[in-house]
Amino acid sequence: MQIPFNKPYFTGNELKYIEDLFNSVQNGENGSHLSGDGKYTHKAQEFMETKFGAKKALLTTSGTSALELASHALDFKPGDEVIVPSYTFSSTVNAILLAGAKPIFADIQEDTLNIDPEDIRRKLTPKTKAIYPVHYAGVSCDMKQIMEIAAENDLKVVEDAAQGVNAKYKDKYLGTIGDFGCYSFHETKNYVCGEGGALLINTDDQAMAERVEIIREKGTDRSKFFRGEVDKYTWVDLGSSYLPSDILAAFLYAQLEKLDEIQEKRMKVWNAYYDAFKPFEDEGKIRLPIIHDYTKHNAHMFYILFEDNETRNNFMNELKKKGINSVFHYIPLHSAPFGLKLGNNEGDLPVTEDISKKLLRLPLYAGMNDEELEYLLTCLMEKLKKL
Ligand SMILES: Cc1ncc(COP(=O)(O)O)c(C=O)c1O
């Protein structure tokens, strides 16, 4: 049997909504267009505002562009520093650099694999302006400590919740706690539209929130014009194009509508893995994800930590022979070629470097059938017994 690492899940309404959009544009229905900020964009944004409790949600072309949009709105000056984990996707740190600030890498905690608040404190300088916590695997960072550090030092917080849609820290949805929250709807995420994302704006700083809309709309105040707040729109600031087509929003809305159903299906696989592998953890052969009481995770990812790099690599190759595609990541950004060029060094972040050598991600998708799951559990347990 061949088991892919990921397989997008379709709810059945994606094409229906795209067809509806097609018809309403063809019929010239008021407010219907194929470009951004059309009727499905508004439906998707309203859904996120209501469900997650964000003050404002704006669809973007990707999680990457949500991070860039937030970063530009923070208006960094040369020399400003942003504390960020190295154990993340390149987009988190590219966004900081593209907005003109300097990323300062902090190590992660061994338990959650999220940014370590103690290391954030060690990395603070008078130049620190923001913290970018990443909710790895849809498991919450220690947001109480992070928000305390931010408040004590007058720092902005941008949550990279690309993997954390529909997950919680205590009773708050990830992405709604910091000044900004960034979601991804890339094909590899829990809720998808191919390429897409959203920026959640939680700040009370009205000027900064308005600036986001302007940057997203090519530096114009077109959003104000659409709301009837100005009688013509014009170029008022630097900006770019971060609006996805309403066709993608129609696709996404069909996914958001079935948000909890999709999460339940993923959770079934996550729990089946956890229960089956727990005895091997108890024997000391592997380590499984640690979920603290403050987290309600979203089953974005299931990983196993092996004793060392060789054991992890051998295990992955053995699975491949059985047709099972597992993957590892990340090459820590500080020790990746561009990270080294920026002046970082191998050995800077011991926990990050250690974890990245030992972690293996297993196939996890909402549409996994019982036969596939059974096959996975049988093969994996057979291999784990041999460790
Ligand atoms: C932690 C993290 N940040 C940012 C991104 C970027 O999201 P997108 O692929 O939608 O641009 C991803 C996606 O892989 C991610 O996992």
Side-chain angles (χ1 to χ4, degrees), residues 49 54-58 69-70 72-75 156 178-180 199-217 220-221 223-224 227 229 236-237:
E49 286 162 8
K55 279 199 182 117
K56 196 172 185 77
L58 293 173
L69 190 48
H72 286 302
L74 292 180
D75 209 13
K156 301 292 181 200
D179 296 272
F180 294 113
L199 180 65
L200 305 195
I201 305 174
N202 313 308
T203 177
D204 291 323
D205 183 340
Q206 197 50 36
M208 192 158 72
E210 273 183 21
R211 189 136 188 263
V212 168
E213 285 191 331
I214 289 166
I215 298 168
R216 179 171 171 266
E217 267 283 16
T220 72
D221 54 359
S223 300
K224 277 188 171 174
R227 285 197 298 267
E229 292 167 20
V236 292
D237 203 342

Side-chain angles (χ1 to χ4, degrees), residues 169-344:
Y169 171 78
K170 296 191 175 163
D171 60 345
K172 287 199 163 145
Y173 282 98
L174 303 188
T176 66
I177 304 161
D179 296 272
F180 294 113
C182 304
Y183 287 167
S184 169
F185 303 118
H186 183 266
E187 179 171 354
T188 50
K189 300 298 185 293
N190 290 21
Y191 314 105
V192 308
C193 63
E195 299 276 358
L199 180 65
L200 305 195
I201 305 174
N202 313 308
T203 177
D204 291 323
D205 183 340
Q206 197 50 36
M208 192 158 72
E210 273 183 21
R211 189 136 188 263
V212 168
E213 285 191 331
I214 289 166
I215 298 168
R216 179 171 171 266
E217 267 283 16
K218 300 102 181 161
T220 72
D221 54 359
R222 185 152 69 167
S223 300
K224 277 188 171 174
F225 172 71
F226 281 141
R227 285 197 298 267
E229 292 167 20
V230 289
D231 56 10
K232 59 179 175 9
Y233 74 89
T234 186
W235 184 33
V236 292
D237 203 342
L238 205 60
S240 190
S241 182
Y242 292 117
L243 291 77
S245 157
D246 214 45
I247 305 171
L248 285 176
F251 193 106
L252 179 65
Y253 186 62
Q255 297 260 314
L256 293 177
E257 266 188 339
K258 298 282 163 68
L259 193 89
D260 290 324
E261 184 185 311
I262 293 174
Q263 184 150 312
E264 248 171 60
K265 287 177 186 291
R266 297 184 72 98
M267 203 60 86
K268 184 182 145 202
V269 179
W270 198 101
N271 287 334
Y273 278 151
Y274 190 89
D275 294 345
F277 307 153
K278 186 76 179 86
F280 300 99
E281 183 177 55
D282 294 342
E283 279 178 51
K285 288 183 167 175
I286 53 167
R287 211 204 85 189
L288 299 178
I290 294 172
I291 312 292
H292 289 301
D293 286 349
Y294 59 68
T295 292
K296 186 172 175 293
H297 76 97
N298 62 359
H300 173 62
M301 184 193 301
F302 196 93
Y303 63 79
I304 297 178
L305 289 167
F306 290 89
E307 197 177 346
D308 54 34
N309 188 244
E310 197 187 345
T311 314
R312 189 271 310 271
N313 293 346
N314 288 341
F315 199 89
M316 189 171 77
N317 291 333
E318 286 297 312
L319 292 183
K320 201 163 205 118
K321 287 184 200 157
K322 291 277 187 182
I324 297 171
N325 288 289
S326 58
V327 302
F328 63 82
H329 73 174
Y330 299 103
I331 306 294
L333 296 180
H334 73 281
S335 60
F338 195 54
L340 295 175
K341 225 173 170 176
L342 292 172
N344 302 287

Side-chain angles (χ1 to χ4, degrees), residues 339-384:
L340 295 175
K341 225 173 170 176
L342 292 172
N344 302 287
N345 297 296
E346 185 110 30
D348 282 351
L349 304 169
V351 182
T352 299
E353 289 169 32
D354 184 53
I355 293 289
S356 93
K357 291 183 186 128
K358 298 175 174 174
L359 182 138
L360 190 67
R361 295 178 60 181
L362 301 182
L364 205 174
Y365 42 91
M368 189 180 286
N369 62 38
D370 290 346
E371 200 191 342
E372 288 173 318
L373 182 57
E374 209 45 57
Y375 179 74
L376 275 162
L377 293 177
T378 307
C379 293
L380 276 148
M381 301 230 296
E382 189 186 293
K383 302 285 172 212
L384 287 169

Side-chain angles (χ1 to χ4, degrees), residues 25-62:
V25 171
Q26 208 167 43
N27 297 335
E29 204 179 276
N30 197 18
S32 288
H33 45 83
L34 299 178
S35 54
D37 279 343
K39 69 173 183 177
Y40 279 102
T41 301
H42 289 121
K43 276 176 186 277
Q45 292 178 171
E46 270 165 37
F47 181 94
M48 285 188 272
E49 286 162 8
T50 309
K51 168 84 183 173
F52 303 135
K55 279 199 182 117
K56 196 172 185 77
L58 293 173
L59 283 194
T60 58
T61 46
S62 61

